[in-house]
Amino acid sequence: MSDIQNPLQNRTQPTPPSTTIAEFDTYEEAQALVDRLSDAKFAVEHVRIVGTGITTVEQVLGRMTYGRAALSGALGGAWFGLFIGLLFGLIIVDSWSWVLWSVLMGAAFGMIAGVVQHAFTGGKRDFASVKGIQAARYGVQVTNEHAAEAVRLMGQAR
């Protein structure tokens, strides 16, 4: 059986008391510390990275027009059509023309769906964006019983 546990299994169990051994301005710095601990053979299942000062960030990518909605829908539909076409192409012998037709039909239906979806917004959301979560600081926490060992290894890794 594997030493790695499913993190979803621990959802109902209380979180063990932890000590913050370091804080960073970026997630990448916190991740690098955990990676160094892992390289030093520390039991990283006792480590967590905790973001504090959480804010939601929505980066606006650009204006959403009917043309952009049609293009986006066509690309998504073409990918789905390619998937369906490859499935039929594998099942039906000597019929790889299914792939081309599936891509074209997927693009056409996707384009129509993209335009209709954009029309239903009624001009209330005429932009494309990507949402994310950002923290002001990232703390690396280790369970109390393993914190001293992590700090020792952290000092050696520098």
Side-chain angles (χ1 to χ4, degrees), residues 95-157:
S95 185
W96 288 100
S97 61
W98 273 98
V99 176
L100 178 63
W101 282 110
S102 296
V103 169
L104 293 175
M105 293 303 291
F109 283 112
M111 183 183 306
I112 293 167
V115 169
V116 168
Q117 183 179 5
H118 179 64
F120 277 131
T121 64
K124 292 186 179 170
R125 188 163 170 92
D126 284 342
F127 61 92
S129 65
V130 176
K131 291 181 183 179
I133 296 176
Q134 195 170 35
R137 301 272 300 159
Y138 296 89
V140 176
Q141 295 182 351
V142 180
T143 56
N144 287 346
E145 62 188 72
H146 297 90
E149 176 68 9
V151 170
R152 185 185 70 75
L153 289 172
M154 189 172 68
Q156 289 178 353

Side-chain angles (χ1 to χ4, degrees), residues 10-50:
N10 296 330
R11 283 191 135 166
T12 58
Q13 298 176 356
T15 305
S18 299
T19 301
T20 300
I21 61 169
E23 284 194 344
F24 301 97
D25 291 329
T26 67
Y27 176 79
E28 288 74 20
E29 292 172 304
Q31 184 180 355
L33 173 58
V34 175
D35 191 41
R36 285 195 310 269
L37 290 171
S38 178
D39 291 344
K41 307 295 186 239
F42 181 75
V44 291
E45 60 270 12
H46 301 288
V47 178
R48 63 180 168 216
I49 299 173
V50 178

